[in-house]
Amino acid sequence: MRVVHNAPLAPLTTLRLGGSATRLVTVERERDAVDAVREEDERGEALLVLGGGSNLVISDAGFAGTVVRMATRGLARSSERAGRVHVTAEAGEPWDDFVTAAVEEGLSGVECLAGIPGLVGAVPMQNVGAYGQDVGETIVTVRAYDRARREIVELPREACAFAYRSSAFRGKDRHVILSVTFALEKRAESGPIRYAELSRALAVAEGARAPLEAVRSTVVALRRKKGMVLDPADPDTTSAGSFFTNPIVSASDLESVRALARDEGPMPVFPELDGRFKLSAGWLIERAGFAKGFAGEGGRAAVSSKHALALTNRGGATTRELVALARRIRDGVRARFGVTLENEPVFVGERL
Ligand code: EPU
C-alpha cells in the first residue's frame, strides 16, 4: 500500500484536470483495497475509488478525502464448459490488455471493445460499450466490497442492472469493484457484427462474423481516427471519451426533433428495443453550431477536432473551463433541438 498526502489528481486522469486529494492510497492486493476502504469508512472520511481516470471529471478544488487507486493485477481462467470459458480479471488490470489477451487466446465476446482506456474494475460502472458490444453481455459476476454490509459479495449479472451506459453501480458509492468474471466463447471469429461502420470497414455484411484479430485491429483503427485511443502525440485524446450520452427519446419526441432538424439532412436514429429511439449526440452538437474544434472561452477547452462528442483539454485548461464549455453545448443543443444532453463521465465535486 503506497500513501501520498496532498496528491495531485490531474496526472491520474486522461483529461489531465482536477485538483489534489488529501490522501492517495495505491493498492496492489485485493486485501489492501478492502482494508483501505474499511478504514476510511470507519473514520467516516470521504472516499473516491480511482481506476484509470479515463471517465472522470474532477473539480479544480480536488477531493477532500481519500482516493483509493486500484492497482491489483491478474487474469485467471476459472472454468470451461460447452465452449464457454470464464475469465476473471482483477479490477486494476488495464481493460485493453484484457481484450488483447482474450483475442490472442481465441476467446470471443469483447473484441469490439478494443482500444478503450481505463481499467477492468470500471467497465461495469457505465456498462462500457462500443461498436455493437457492451460488457453487460459477457459479465457473469462482479466481485465487490459492499460498504453497507461491510463484506465481500459476488453479484450475478442480474443484480448489476446493466442498461445503456448505466448499471446498479453507477452514481452510487456502495460497491467497490474488486474483480469481474466474463463468459467468453471459444471461437476464432467475433460475434455477429452489429455496427454499420464496423461492418463496412471489415467488408463483411452486418450480422456476419469476422476473425477476432481483424475485428480488434479494425476497431482500434476506427477509434484512433476519432481520437478515442490515448496517444500523447494526439491532443484530441486528452479527453474522457464521449462527454455526453446519446439521448434516448420517445416516438413523439422524435417527431418534434425531426421537425426542428428538417433542414439538416438525414438525422441518425437508432431504434431501441423498448420502442424508444437513440439519437446521435455528436450529430446534434455539430448541427447546433459546435463544429469539431470549437473552443470555449480562453481556447484551452475545446471540442475534439476529430469527434464532436469528445471535449478536450488543449493544454493548461481548468475543469471550470471544460464544464463551462459543456454547459454551453448542452444549452445550445437544448435551444436548437429541445433535447437535454447528459454527461457520460462521472463528475467529482462538479455538476453540469
Ligand atoms: N457524428 C457526427 N459528428 C461527429 C461524430 C459523430 O455527426 O463528430 C454522427 C454521425 O452521424 C455518426 C454518428 O454520429 O454516424 C455516430 O457516431 P459514432 O459511430 O462515432 O458513435 P457515437 O454514438 O458518437 C458511441 C459511443 C462511443 C463508442 C462509439 C462506437 C456513447 C456516448 N458513445 O459514440 O463510446 O466508441 O459509439 O460504438 O454511446 C465513450 O463512451 O466514451 C465512447 C467513446
Side-chain angles (χ1 to χ4, degrees), residues 160-297:
C160 298
F162 290 122
Y164 169 63
R165 289 301 192 274
S166 157
S167 74
F169 309 108
R170 187 164 173 143
K172 313 208 172 63
D173 295 331
R174 177 167 172 183
H175 293 101
V176 177
I177 295 173
L178 300 169
S179 66
V180 184
T181 301
F182 298 82
L184 303 175
E185 204 180 339
K186 236 180 161 171
R187 175 194 266 283
E189 294 199 305
S190 67
I193 302 297
R194 293 186 296 230
Y195 206 81
E197 185 188 23
L198 179 58
S199 76
R200 278 195 303 274
L202 284 162
V204 301
E206 262 184 84
R209 300 173 189 269
L212 286 176
E213 174 53 26
V215 174
R216 193 200 68 80
S217 57
T218 305
V219 164
V220 171
L222 287 175
R223 293 188 67 92
R224 205 177 286 284
K225 271 202 283 187
K226 298 181 189 179
M228 296 287 187
V229 177
L230 291 184
D231 178 355
D234 180 356
D236 280 321
T237 72
T238 310
S239 82
S242 299
F243 200 88
F244 300 99
T245 48
N246 286 324
I248 300 179
V249 300
S250 66
S252 64
D253 285 348
L254 174 65
E255 286 326 304
S256 27
V257 181
R258 267 200 213 283
L260 292 165
R262 66 183 169 268
D263 299 329
E264 302 285 358
M267 179 172 82
V269 175
F270 309 93
E272 290 286 290
L273 293 171
D274 63 4
R276 294 185 300 159
F277 298 89
K278 190 188 275 175
L279 307 179
S280 162
W283 191 92
L284 296 169
I285 289 169
E286 283 199 76
R287 272 76 189 174
F290 306 98
K292 297 187 183 83
F294 180 93
E297 199 120 336

